[in-house]
Amino acid sequence: MESRKVYIQAAEQISIQSPLSEQWMNEPILYHEPLVKAVNPSFRDYLAPNEARRMGNLMKRALVTSLKVLKDTGIEHPDAIITGTSIGSLDYTERLLDDLIENGEETVSPTYFMQSTHNTVGSALGIYTKTHGYNTTYSHGGISFDSALLDAWMQMCLGKIRTALVGGYDEMVDSYFELLCKAGYVGREGMVPCGEVSMSMMLNAGAPHDALCEMAGIRICYRPSLEKLRKEMDEILAQAGMSMVDISAVMTGVNGNPSHDRQYRETIVQLFPHKPLFHYKHLFGENYTVSALGTYAAAHLLKKQEIPSLIYDDDSMSVNGELNSILLLNMTESGDCSLILLKRL
């Protein structure tokens, strides 16, 4: 892989925190409910009412965060649009199936049908922005966003594209939430709430002066041994011209579920025994694509050089000096694992 630098130029979110802002850094909204829906902005500020009324919440959120990123960067037509979503337009899928049952499979709403597939968001972004380049969607469970990010990063390193709109989008409906509770994925005592995610970011292979940070590398592996994970980490650091001592902090996806957090704790003890630890799911909730919000949060922490006390993991040591790099560790219960390295400009 050629040594080309990739930057996160801008990133915006709609989540259970205040939308389209970094207010979560200073005035976070804390929840105690097991399920929390996203805090929507005023969609009419970004979308025409006659267009918005035909869209589900997932679609509107994805369009708004993406349009905000395009406006912030001044890039009207990125070379690629790459999205990650695990469960897609679940609300409209459910409505479509309800219509089929209630109407005997005879008369159904075309709107529900057209917006019920996973790649609807990516397609709509391409149509709405009149962008006709590379456009693909990843639906790989807990690493859906990570896979989209890896695709964009590899293409930029190979010189195939220079800009990419990358995002992670997932919503939640009550019926599916109940199933996830029965499976033990969310809703357990002591866990963070289940949330919703819409995060869009612009990756740029140029050198924008206003970028949030550099995306120095990414790796994805399946059920890695400790030795394999250490090797992947060493390689990602070496490629970025760094070593373990250069990592300012490690951000993990602990969520309060003992069976889920155990793999994080065991890995941290072995690989990062003397590193400051950050976490983010207590602020943004648990969701299949919440790693998108972890990446978003890390990028803004590096840009602002502010570390809110709530970001630190329990009993973590503080960052000594400036925050120069963050290594994000995402581990899923299915065994997928990703490492994302971000560097301060």
Side-chain angles (χ1 to χ4, degrees), residues 237 242-251 272 274-278 298 301-302 305 307 312 316-328 341-344:
L237 289 171
M242 299 171 59
S243 64
M244 179 64 74
V245 297
D246 299 315
I247 298 177
S248 300
V250 177
M251 180 173 278
F272 314 108
H274 306 297
K275 291 294 179 183
L277 301 176
F278 297 163
L301 290 173
L302 288 167
Q305 287 296 297
I307 309 175
Y312 282 105
S316 170
M317 65 181 72
S318 299
V319 172
N320 184 18
E322 296 182 334
L323 184 64
N324 292 317
S325 63
I326 298 177
L327 181 67
L328 291 102
L341 180 62
L342 304 183
K343 289 174 60 178
R344 178 188 181 189

Side-chain angles (χ1 to χ4, degrees), residues 99-248:
D99 263 10
L100 287 171
I101 294 171
E102 292 173 6
N103 297 298
E105 302 184 13
E106 293 182 356
T107 305
V108 297
S109 168
T111 300
Y112 297 156
F113 172 73
M114 289 186 294
Q115 295 191 35
S116 64
T117 61
H118 285 65
N119 62 352
T120 299
V121 171
S123 301
L125 290 174
I127 294 170
Y128 204 90
T129 62
K130 296 180 174 59
T131 299
H132 308 297
Y134 180 83
N135 191 318
T136 194
T137 298
Y138 287 89
S139 181
H140 297 340
I143 58 164
S144 296
F145 169 76
D146 312 63
S147 299
L149 195 62
L150 176 63
D151 185 350
W153 183 78
M154 289 180 66
Q155 291 202 58
M156 287 185 171
C157 289
L158 292 171
K160 293 182 178 292
I161 59 175
R162 289 188 60 82
T163 59
L165 180 65
V166 182
Y169 314 102
D170 264 323
E171 61 184 351
M172 187 56 59
V173 296
D174 293 340
S175 59
Y176 196 68
F177 171 73
E178 293 175 3
L179 293 176
L180 292 179
C181 286
K182 292 179 180 178
Y185 181 74
V186 292
R188 296 182 62 173
E189 185 177 355
M191 276 193 68
V192 301
C194 179
E196 297 182 302
V197 176
S198 178
M199 195 289 300
S200 302
M201 63 171 52
M202 181 66 70
L203 296 188
N204 196 327
H209 69 279
D210 56 347
L212 297 176
C213 65
E214 178 188 346
M215 182 182 164
I218 178 173
R219 291 285 192 282
I220 296 178
C221 43
Y222 179 66
R223 293 188 176 178
S225 63
L226 192 62
E227 292 72 22
K228 171 66 173 175
L229 193 57
R230 190 190 303 273
K231 183 176 182 242
E232 294 286 345
M233 185 180 61
D234 289 341
E235 288 181 357
I236 197 175
L237 289 171
Q239 189 174 36
M242 299 171 59
S243 64
M244 179 64 74
V245 297
D246 299 315
I247 298 177
S248 300

Side-chain angles (χ1 to χ4, degrees), residues 55-76:
M55 300 177 186
N57 275 325
L58 183 72
M59 181 73 71
K60 287 187 285 190
R61 292 167 186 162
L63 275 172
V64 168
T65 54
S66 298
L67 291 174
K68 183 71 163 57
V69 164
L70 293 175
K71 181 180 179 181
D72 291 346
T73 59
I75 298 174
E76 296 183 2

